[in-house]
Amino acid sequence: GENVGLHLPTLSVQEGDNSIINCAYSNSASDYFIWYKQESGKGPQFIIDIRSNMDKRQGQRVTVLLNKTVKHLSLQIAATQPGDSAVYFCAENRANQAGTALIFGKGTTLSVSS
Amino acid sequence: EAGVAQSPRYKIIEKRQSVAFWCNPISGHATLYWYQQILGQGPKLLIQFQNNGVVDDSQLPKDRFSAERLKGVDSTLKIQPAKLEDSAVYLCASSPIMGITEAFFGQGTRLTVV
């Protein structure tokens, strides 16, 4: 089944289920968002991105939804596999004093059981 | 294409000692980031370079941390003197253009201060 809601630090699903990971961002002026996957002992790895002029973007088995009204971002993973087990972070491209910077949100640990 | 290279992978030092981390970004990437990731948290931006200039160091504890990117390519991050709370993974990332595309991360340097 699917798990939908506010940000959760952990999410446990069965193999084959769909997963939904949520993220709230803080700056309404942020114009670019990225979802990263981080496996133990590795650096964050790009999954999918979306610009603020879009509401939805699809990749292979992943979909990102952007709701600018409530400053909310979600990552949907279809047919979750054990290899999807990792920590997932959303990052926003936020304006700073000299341009923009990539700022990370709280992570969600996804555990997939067979 | 080679990824972001970081060294060393691991470092253990005593408090009040000094330590330096090295990063070689992807060739041609103008933007370079250093992040600190404490266990269980998302990466926190310490400093951002655009070529050899600093564009954001507002989160860098400047009394003990320093970073440079002299020729606009490699970068070093130094801590002097280290404190126990500096124990973390230090991630380097690079991006071809600030704020438009994703940042690519290295594997990080895990620092333990004892």
Side-chain angles (χ1 to χ4, degrees), chain A residues 21-99:
Chain A
I21 300 171
N22 296 300
C23 174
Y25 63 94
S26 59
N27 193 325
S28 58
S30 295
D31 59 358
Y32 177 57
F33 304 87
I34 306 172
W35 279 100
Y36 281 94
K37 172 185 180 183
Q38 188 174 28
E39 296 174 294
S40 181
K42 297 183 178 180
Q45 178 185 8
F46 172 86
I47 301 173
I48 192 168
D49 59 2
I50 188 168
R51 304 199 182 282
S52 58
N53 61 353
M54 303 172 69
D55 298 322
K56 179 179 179 179
R57 189 161 189 227
Q58 289 183 292
Q60 187 177 12
R61 285 201 305 118
V62 294
T63 300
V64 55
L65 299 177
L66 176 62
N67 185 330
K68 295 179 285 293
T69 302
V70 295
K71 294 186 286 188
H72 182 265
L73 200 65
S74 68
L75 175 71
Q76 301 178 1
I77 305 174
T80 314
Q81 303 169 0
D84 295 327
S85 294
V87 181
Y88 290 81
F89 294 98
C90 64
E92 64 179 292
N93 191 52
R94 190 186 299 173
N96 62 12
Q97 57 195 16

Side-chain angles (χ1 to χ4, degrees), chain A residues 32 34 36 38 41-44 46 49 51 89 93 96-105, chain B residues 9 33 35 37 41-43 45 48 55-57 91 98-107:
Chain A
Y32 177 57
I34 306 172
Y36 281 94
Q38 188 174 28
K42 297 183 178 180
F46 172 86
D49 59 2
R51 304 199 182 282
F89 294 98
N93 191 52
N96 62 12
Q97 57 195 16
T100 60
L102 199 58
I103 305 300
F104 281 72
Chain B
R9 285 281 284 133
Y33 306 88
Y35 288 86
Q37 187 173 25
Q41 299 182 16
L45 180 66
Q48 177 183 351
V55 297
D56 186 354
D57 62 356
L91 294 162
M98 179 170 57
I100 299 178
T101 63
E102 76 269 25
F104 297 82
F105 282 81
Q107 294 214 68

Side-chain angles (χ1 to χ4, degrees), chain B residues 5-70:
Chain B
Q6 289 189 248
S7 67
R9 285 281 284 133
Y10 305 93
K11 190 74 177 178
I12 300 175
I13 62 172
E14 295 181 349
K15 59 183 179 184
R16 292 187 289 274
Q17 286 188 324
S18 303
V19 64
F21 313 127
W22 174 81
C23 173
N24 186 13
I26 294 173
S27 177
H29 281 196
T31 305
L32 186 147
Y33 306 88
W34 281 103
Y35 288 86
Q36 179 193 59
Q37 187 173 25
I38 293 173
L39 186 64
Q41 299 182 16
K44 171 190 168 185
L45 180 66
L46 292 176
I47 189 167
Q48 177 183 351
F49 292 93
Q50 184 69 12
N51 297 309
N52 62 348
V54 176
V55 297
D56 186 354
D57 62 356
S58 57
Q59 299 299 307
L60 189 72
K62 299 180 187 63
D63 58 333
R64 298 184 300 106
F65 286 64
S66 64
E68 60 184 13
R69 193 185 184 198
L70 291 176

